Every structure is written in C-alpha cells, then in structure tokens.
Amino acid sequence: MKSKLILTALLSVSLMACGQETPKVKHKKAKTAANSGTKTVKFANAVDPICNMPTEADMKDTAVYKNKKYGFCSAYCKDEFKKNPEKYAKK
C-alpha cells in the first residue's frame, strides 16, 4: 500500500513537471512586404468593407472603384463589393 502511494506521488510530480516544460519550436517569422518580394500597396480602405477584417499590403483580392484600389480578405468579399460598390465604398 505504501509503495503504491509513493509511486502515485512520483508519477503525479513527473506529469506536472512535463506539463510546465515549454515547447522547443522555432516559429517562422511573419512575412512582411519588405522581405516577401511583394511591393507595398496602399488601399483606400483600412478594413474589408464586407467582413471588417483589417487590410494588409499583400492582399491579392483587390478591386478598383472610382480610381481607388480596395483590398479584400477573400474573393467572396471582393465579389460582394462588386455587386454594389457604391454601398460599401462609403464605409
């Protein structure tokens, strides 16, 4: 009985010690326009007018309306904008 108690205590301590260990993982650095080889683009909108997601300089889904370039997080949002750009350009 005493050995089971000691074994349980040791197992509990070792499990708790493993749970607190930090993982040794190297994270990739986020690509920025400066180091990704793409040029920086300034959009007329700071956020996607459809879903309110912030725009980034390397967004691929774009549309031009009244000589202004708008950035979108996805093709869906771009297509929605194109259906009624006047409604969304005011945002």
Side-chain angles (χ1 to χ4, degrees), residues 23-37:
K24 293 172 177 57
V25 177
K26 282 190 174 185
H27 292 95
K28 291 183 180 180
K29 292 183 180 178
K31 285 188 177 182
T32 60
N35 68 7
S36 68

Side-chain angles (χ1 to χ4, degrees), residues 17-77:
C18 289
Q20 294 175 355
E21 187 176 324
T22 56
K24 293 172 177 57
V25 177
K26 282 190 174 185
H27 292 95
K28 291 183 180 180
K29 292 183 180 178
K31 285 188 177 182
T32 60
N35 68 7
S36 68
T38 60
K39 59 183 181 176
T40 304
V41 177
K42 183 80 173 168
F43 295 118
N45 57 321
V47 296
D48 186 322
I50 309 301
C51 68
N52 297 317
M53 189 175 195
T55 58
E56 296 177 9
D58 61 346
M59 290 183 146
K60 294 177 184 167
D61 291 298
T62 61
V64 177
Y65 176 68
K66 291 189 176 181
N67 295 323
K68 292 182 181 178
K69 194 170 196 174
Y70 292 86
F72 304 94
C73 68
S74 67
Y76 171 80
C77 288

